[in-house]
Amino acid sequence: MTTRLTPAQRAPRFLRLDIRFLAGTYSGTEWPPAPARLAQALVAGAESTTAPGLDWLERQPAPMILATDEPPGVWRRDYVPLNATPGNVTRNARDRYIRREVEPVAYLWRLSDEGDDRQAEALIGTATRLTALGSGQDMACALGAVISAAPVSLGRQRLWLPGEVHLHTEVDQLLQVPAPGLMAELARRHAITRAGEQALRVQGHWSPQGGRSTADGQGLRTLAYRPSDARPRTAMLACALVRPDGEPAQWPAGEAAKVAGMLRHALIACAGSDADLAAFAAGHPDGDPGCRASVVPVPSTGHLHADGRIRRVLVTSRTEDAAVLGRLLSALPMAGLPLIDEHTGELVALARPIQDVRAEPVLRQWLKPSRCWASVQPVILPGLDSGEPRRTRKLLLRALAHAGLDAGLVEHLEFGRHGFLPQSVAHRDTRLKDRDSWRLPAVHVRLRFTHPVSGPLVLGQGRNAGVGTLVPCADLE
C-alpha cells in the first residue's frame, strides 16, 4: 500500500525560474524585477493568459528572489521617427535609464504537493517562450527546474524575502506581485486595446479608456522585499503634505522643527488614552530613551535647481520598535494626520501616507544607498566643542553612533559653518523650539563612507525633531 505524505512530511521542493538578460541590460523602474512584471512578460511571450501554469502562478504566495544588488546604469536617449514626419526624429525623443552588466535573476516558489509539481512543470514549458523582461528591448530567456535545495544567498546573489508593507525600512524594495484575478484583468485590457485598434482602422481615430495592455492595480498587490542579510536601522511611514483643498503644502527647510512639532501633536492624539503610547509618540519615553517616534521632514533635493522646501515627511522609529510604531499608526485618520497651527488653531495641512516611496523621485533619491552625504540643516552637536576641530570631529562621530551608524565606516569627514549644498540652511535661519539647542554649537557636515549607507540620515541633538537632515551628494572626489 502506498503511503501519501502530508505537506509537513514532504521534503521541501521549489520551482526555480532563472531569467537571463541576453544583452545584459534591464530598463525596468524597479530592482529586482518585480514578480508581477515577470508574470506579465510570461503572458506576452506565450501570447495568452490561459497558457499552462499561469492561472496557478497568480494564486501562489509571493516568490523569493535571488538577485545581485542593483547594477550600474546609464541614461540613454532613443529617437523614434514619427510616421507623419519621418525626417524629424527629435520630436519623439525618449530618455531611458538602462542598467548594464545585469546578471541572471532567479524566482523561487515553494511547492506544497504533487499538484503543485505538475503545475510547476507546465509553467516551465510556458516560460520557455519568454522573450523580454523590462522593456521590449531587454531581451531575455527563462530556464526552469524543480529543485529540492532550499534557496540561500550565493556569492554576489542575495536572497530577497517578501514581507508585508504596513511599515517598511530603508533597505526594503516595494515590488508588485501577482494576485488572483491578474490573468482576467490582462485579458480584459487586451480586449479593450484590440477593440480600439479596430475602431482606429474603421473610424480613423480612437480615444482609449483604460486600454493599456499592462495591469494597473487589479490582480496585483505590493509587498516589501528585503535581502536576507540586511540589517535595517529604521522602520518608517512616508507621508505627503497636502493642504485642506488638496493642493500640495510646503514649508522652507529652515522650518523643519515647526513641521515636525505639528505632526508630533497629531501622533500624540492618535495614541488616545494609552499613556505609554503617548509617551512614545511625544518622544519622551519613561525607560529606554531610544524607544520613541521621530518625525523627519524631507527637503526637496536631488538636482542643482531643487528648492529644498519640505513637501514630505517620514515618521520613523528603530526597527526593534516597529511594532509599537505600527500600533500608533493603526489609529491614523482616514484623511491623514492633521497639522494644526499652534498659534491660530487652523488646519494648515494633512500628512497622507505614501504607499510606494519609489513612485516619489525625491524619496527614492533620498533613501537610496550612497557613500557621500551632506547636511541641509546644520547638525547640532551633542555637546560643547570649545571651538576645537578635533573635539568637533569627536562629537560628530558620537552623533553618528547615536543615529545607529557605525562610526568606523566613515572614510572622510569635513565640517564648517557654511553649507556644502545649494539648498543648505544657515544656523540663524533654522527655527528651533527648544531654546537650549541654541546654546549648543552646530555645523554643516559632508562625509563619505567606505560602503554605501541607506537613508534616512539625520544627525545631532535635533534629529528627533527633523533638524540635522543629510541628503546624498556628489562624490567628494
Side-chain angles (χ1 to χ4, degrees), residues 74-372:
V74 295
W75 283 99
R76 189 176 79 180
R77 174 163 291 185
D78 293 337
Y79 295 94
V80 182
L82 293 171
N83 291 335
T85 56
N88 186 0
V89 297
T90 59
R91 291 183 61 189
N92 202 23
R94 183 182 64 174
D95 293 329
R96 290 197 304 142
Y97 184 74
I98 303 175
R99 296 167 183 83
R100 306 172 70 179
E101 303 175 7
V102 181
E103 297 188 10
V105 177
Y107 299 83
L108 300 110
W109 293 264
R110 182 158 186 159
L111 306 176
S112 58
D113 54 34
E114 295 177 358
D116 282 350
D117 291 350
R118 291 190 294 269
Q119 293 284 357
E121 294 292 348
L123 186 61
I124 289 172
T126 298
T128 59
R129 302 174 63 183
L130 179 77
T131 58
L133 180 63
S135 74
Q137 301 177 47
D138 300 322
M139 309 306 294
C141 66
L143 299 174
V146 174
I147 62 174
S148 56
V152 294
S153 299
L154 181 63
R156 294 181 58 194
Q157 283 198 319
R158 305 169 78 185
L159 182 63
W160 296 72
L161 303 175
E164 292 301 326
V165 75
H166 305 303
L167 289 172
H168 59 278
T169 70
E170 75 276 9
V171 300
D172 292 341
Q173 297 291 348
L174 300 185
L175 302 179
Q176 288 187 321
V177 301
L182 175 60
M183 297 304 148
E185 177 62 18
L186 291 175
R188 184 186 72 84
R189 290 183 177 268
H190 178 67
I192 293 175
T193 302
R194 291 298 301 273
E197 291 172 351
Q198 293 173 5
L200 178 64
R201 286 193 290 268
V202 173
Q203 304 172 9
H205 63 86
W206 174 48
S207 178
Q209 299 295 328
R212 289 172 293 171
S213 59
T214 56
D216 184 21
Q218 295 87 347
L220 298 174
R221 54 198 178 102
T222 300
L223 295 180
Y225 273 81
R226 180 185 306 173
S228 59
D229 60 341
R231 294 186 177 181
R233 296 179 289 109
T234 309
M236 70 186 82
L237 175 74
C239 296
L241 298 176
V242 296
R243 298 202 307 250
D245 61 4
E247 294 297 317
Q250 54 182 305
W251 279 268
E255 296 188 3
K258 175 182 177 180
V259 176
M262 290 189 292
L263 192 60
R264 192 174 291 281
H265 278 289
L267 290 173
I268 295 172
C270 288
S273 59
D274 189 325
D276 292 337
L277 202 56
F280 175 83
H284 301 294
D286 294 331
D288 182 358
C291 182
R292 59 194 299 171
S294 296
V295 178
V296 184
V298 180
S300 298
T301 60
H303 60 85
L304 181 62
H305 303 292
D307 59 12
R309 296 180 72 85
I310 296 166
R311 298 176 177 88
R312 303 159 190 85
V313 293
L314 299 180
V315 181
T316 72
S317 74
R318 301 179 305 185
T319 50
E320 53 263 44
D321 303 319
V324 184
L325 181 60
R327 187 156 56 94
L328 175 64
L329 297 176
S330 65
L332 194 77
M334 291 293 292
L337 288 164
L339 275 64
I340 308 295
D341 187 288
E342 65 175 334
H343 300 295
T344 65
E346 176 188 2
L347 173 66
V348 293
L350 293 165
R352 291 178 176 167
I354 300 170
Q355 184 179 32
D356 186 0
V357 297
R358 293 184 66 91
E360 289 277 346
V362 170
L363 289 174
R364 184 170 66 242
Q365 170 74 16
W366 194 49
L367 296 174
K368 75 176 185 180
S370 177
R371 289 184 62 204
C372 300

Side-chain angles (χ1 to χ4, degrees), residues 387-403:
E388 299 180 7
R390 181 177 59 84
R391 174 68 176 166
T392 303
R393 177 183 172 85
K394 183 176 180 180
L395 289 171
L396 286 172
L397 294 178
R398 183 186 301 174
L400 283 165
H402 291 170

